[in-house]
Amino acid sequence: MLDINTLLSDRVTNMEESATIAMTRKARELKSQGIDIISLSIGEPDFKTPKHIQEAAKDAIDEQKYFGYSPVPGYMDLREAIAEKLQRENGIPSKAENIVVSTGAKQSIANVIISISNPGDEILIFAPYWVSYKDITEFAGATPVFIKGTIDNDFKITADQLDAAITPKTKAILFSSPSNPTGSVFSRKEIEDLVIVLTKYPNVLIIADEIYEYINFSGGHVSIGSFDQVKDRTITVNGYSKGFAMTGWRIGYISAPVALAKACEKVQGQITSGANSIAQRAALVAIKSDMEPTRLMTEEYIQRRGVILDLLSDIPGVKTYMPSGAFYIFPDISYYFGKSKDQVVIKDANDLSIYILNEAHVSVVSGDAFGAPEAIRISYAASEENIREALKRIKEVLSQLN
Ligand code: PMP
Ligand code: GLU
């Protein structure tokens, strides 16, 4: 019998399934079997999309004008509104011609990496990194190279590390701040230090993923694309999934130098075309409206961060730090490696996350997929009640390991 697997491309065979999505799928499967699973694996707001944005989508349908293909880079009024927001809030000199709206920031990142990658090119990725950066880079034919921050510096890399890692093959650097998976935020001083290094390397592009911009507890978001020295070679990625609780609507965007924006438009035009028309109309209203719902969600995340830090500090062997944004915490749990319960031996973070899923019925994601095999990622985009119950269960099952 023909094994279709033998016909798949090497590119796809070598691609790993997104670990965040894989773990969430496992959790859903167990849930459907009637098991009481608490999912802390997916990075997804547990809030509903604010009402006025929902209404905007209904209005767009009622207008009877938005059923056809949208322009590939997005509706012009949305691109103008995004450019205006980036100038006003972020200090990024952006115009509509710099903006490409896509089906989620994930597609935005893929467009950019596909547009700039040749074989032999290296993309320098700050680790711990968001899972898809590595696989998108490899898929695009470039080589991901990792620079890793340590927990003592809240997992942030330093300017010296960056300087040491850049080579003539470096095409771009890629990082998120606030970060997925660590929740860490680069301060203005830290961004300035990175800029000083980057000034020495004028051919290196900067891809700044700012999708957690609004979920920032450090008192201010700093966009690297606002610095004069690097603004003409920075690509700012952002989107609606996190700050507006719109994961399923699938709207993300970039602001990029015009030639790169055009390249992304060409890629997108061949692969998916313009993003969903109704979602774009809702996104326009979201970006022009009062940000109070977003502020309220962020306040709630701060509260939950306090709860989870408190509960984690009560579990022996779990090393934490203070995340300043997003809704993740990324504790070092390597203390448990080599320990066992009955026949189950915990060799690494993959084993530990499976053990926690099977025994505590809580899904978290192994740090392996984020380039940090000593940690696990816990999302606290969940109700306080679920966070408390999940951490109680995790504490209990970890105490059973000897
Ligand atoms: N970047 C980061 C750092 C993320 O955590 C996510 C989460 N999905 C994305 C990009 C992609 O977001 P989306 O495609 O939902 O806009
Ligand atoms: N970005 C989220 C996460 O890291 C959503 C899942 C995904 O797109 O990978 O969990």
Side-chain angles (χ1 to χ4, degrees), residues 221-241:
H221 175 77
V222 182
S223 292
I224 193 164
S226 67
F227 285 80
D228 283 341
Q229 302 92 312
V230 293
K231 66 184 181 203
D232 57 347
R233 54 190 166 108
T234 298
I235 300 101
T236 303
V237 179
N238 208 328
Y240 287 77
S241 287

Side-chain angles (χ1 to χ4, degrees), residues 207-226:
I207 309 169
D209 182 347
E210 304 189 352
I211 193 156
Y212 295 96
E213 169 187 15
Y214 291 127
I215 310 172
N216 185 336
F217 324 134
S218 72
H221 175 77
V222 182
S223 292
I224 193 164
S226 67

Side-chain angles (χ1 to χ4, degrees), residues 18 20-21 41-44 106 130-132 180 212 242 328 370 377:
S18 159
T20 51
I21 289 176
S41 47
I42 190 96
E44 166 159 73
K106 197 180 272 188
W130 178 46
V131 280
S132 298
N180 181 0
Y212 295 96
K242 315 294 169 166
Y328 307 108
F370 303 97
R377 189 189 78 173

Side-chain angles (χ1 to χ4, degrees), residues 69-271:
Y69 287 123
S70 61
V72 172
Y75 287 117
M76 186 47 91
D77 52 0
L78 177 60
R79 293 165 72 203
E80 281 166 358
I82 290 169
E84 193 274 322
K85 170 254 183 283
L86 290 172
Q87 285 180 39
R88 179 173 35 85
E89 290 184 1
N90 305 82
I92 296 171
S94 185
K95 298 201 185 84
E97 61 185 4
N98 303 108
I99 307 296
V100 180
V101 177
S102 299
T103 303
K106 197 180 272 188
Q107 187 185 25
S108 302
I109 295 164
N111 283 344
V112 173
I113 296 188
I114 289 169
S115 296
I116 64 172
S117 295
N118 280 321
D121 286 346
E122 293 180 352
I123 310 275
L124 265 186
I125 300 176
F126 296 10
Y129 52 82
W130 178 46
V131 280
S132 298
Y133 294 164
K134 170 176 163 289
D135 285 284
I136 292 173
T137 300
E138 286 171 346
F139 184 78
T143 306
V145 175
F146 305 106
I147 330 172
K148 188 164 172 207
T150 60
I151 195 166
D152 305 322
N153 196 35
D154 298 349
F155 286 115
K156 286 180 279 190
I157 68 131
T158 63
D160 286 344
Q161 281 179 288
L162 177 63
D163 204 358
I166 293 177
T167 73
K169 291 184 178 165
T170 307
K171 188 53 116 16
I173 67 165
L174 169 57
F175 69 102
S176 59
S177 176
S179 157
N180 181 0
T182 65
S184 294
V185 176
F186 282 95
S187 67
R188 173 164 295 279
K189 169 80 176 68
E190 286 163 338
I191 296 273
E192 273 167 10
D193 289 346
L194 298 180
V195 169
I196 290 169
V197 170
L198 289 162
T199 306
K200 297 192 337 198
Y201 305 99
N203 296 326
V204 172
L205 296 166
I206 297 144
I207 309 169
D209 182 347
E210 304 189 352
I211 193 156
Y212 295 96
E213 169 187 15
Y214 291 127
I215 310 172
N216 185 336
F217 324 134
S218 72
H221 175 77
V222 182
S223 292
I224 193 164
S226 67
F227 285 80
D228 283 341
Q229 302 92 312
V230 293
K231 66 184 181 203
D232 57 347
R233 54 190 166 108
T234 298
I235 300 101
T236 303
V237 179
N238 208 328
Y240 287 77
S241 287
K242 315 294 169 166
F244 297 93
M246 290 175 70
T247 46
W249 299 66
R250 312 303 306 126
I251 299 290
Y253 59 83
I254 51 164
S255 177
V258 174
L260 184 47
K262 287 252 169 271
C264 290
E265 180 181 339
K266 185 165 73 174
V267 171
Q268 184 162 299
Q270 290 287 21
I271 296 181

